[in-house]
Amino acid sequence: MGCSGVSRSDRAFVESAVESGVAQKCENPKGKTAEQTKKAQKANFIAIGAAKTGAETGAKALAMATHGAAGVAAGTASVVISSGMHVLALYKAVAEGAEIRDAHQRDAINLAFVWTASAALPKDYVARQGYELRAVGGEHGGASKILTPLMKDDSRWQALKSQAESHVRLARNLAEKYGVDSPDALSSRLSKDPRFAKAYQSSMAFRHGVDSVVFEAQQRKIARGN
């Protein structure tokens, strides 16, 4: 199969994810993790809840403040608004479920890559990724399902592994060269350097290589008590 729109360095992992049933379609594995997606949804849920409460309270207040036919109309408005909000909540739940599913697919692809390129990444970074993406880890997790077919042909596996490690080292060298040692420094580089930004957005090797440098720098600051 062929995954159009996916970088050549990521294609083997994405195609394996689709073929093994971990992912439903080919897509760029860049995006929020499942945990980040859940946090964003929770924040949105609180905002939606406040809006729903405000709408229902306003309709009920209108019903109480009016009389006769107008009062009946206002009461009906309250029911309509409430029903409409519940329908929206249902659609929202379906959409959020799809977001979580897609995030888990991305997590599995990314964890499979991190395991593949682990020799070129800091051990603590690999361990952190393993912990944060643990829902798709384990012997029967999505990441393992992606790697199993990739490892069947040892010569191809070793070539894939060598390429992943090489690209990670290149990204780490560039990040260190440009002084990308904090989230702010990374944000600045991404906004000022289109080529750097394109590589970061389209390549897991480049993204994890850069992120691992930022992670190490932050860990050193914590160790120093900064």
Side-chain angles (χ1 to χ4, degrees), residues 34-130:
E35 284 303 309
Q36 290 170 336
T37 301
K38 289 175 184 176
K39 288 179 180 178
Q41 289 180 352
K42 184 177 180 180
N44 191 40
F45 174 79
I46 293 172
I48 291 293
K52 176 182 176 181
T53 300
E56 290 182 340
T57 300
K60 289 175 182 177
L62 177 63
M64 293 176 65
T66 55
H67 302 282
V72 172
T76 302
S78 176
V79 173
V80 170
I81 290 173
S82 180
S83 299
M85 293 300 292
H86 284 299
V87 171
L88 288 175
L90 175 60
Y91 280 115
K92 181 173 178 290
V94 172
E96 287 184 346
E99 287 180 349
I100 294 294
R101 181 202 63 213
D102 291 346
H104 277 304
Q105 293 174 11
R106 290 194 298 269
D107 286 355
I109 296 170
N110 277 274
L111 185 56
F113 176 83
V114 168
W115 283 347
T116 301
S118 60
L121 290 163
K123 290 182 179 179
D124 286 348
Y125 180 81
V126 175
R128 174 63 67 85
Q129 290 293 306

Side-chain angles (χ1 to χ4, degrees), residues 166-176 205-207 209-210 213:
S166 176
H167 289 180
V168 163
R169 291 189 181 101
L170 174 62
R172 283 178 56 80
N173 288 338
L174 284 175
E176 290 170 352
F206 196 88
R207 185 164 61 256
V210 171
V213 171

Side-chain angles (χ1 to χ4, degrees), residues 116-187:
T116 301
S118 60
L121 290 163
K123 290 182 179 179
D124 286 348
Y125 180 81
V126 175
R128 174 63 67 85
Q129 290 293 306
Y131 176 76
E132 292 183 348
L133 308 182
R134 61 192 178 280
V136 295
E139 183 179 355
H140 302 293
S144 293
K145 290 179 181 178
I146 292 170
L147 291 181
T148 298
L150 294 176
M151 297 173 73
K152 285 183 177 179
D153 184 329
D154 189 61
S155 61
R156 291 183 63 186
W157 165 246
Q158 292 302 328
L160 181 65
K161 192 171 184 296
S162 177
Q163 180 189 63
E165 292 169 358
S166 176
H167 289 180
V168 163
R169 291 189 181 101
L170 174 62
R172 283 178 56 80
N173 288 338
L174 284 175
E176 290 170 352
K177 175 183 177 181
Y178 294 139
V180 180
D181 58 0
S182 70
D184 286 344
L186 172 58
S187 179

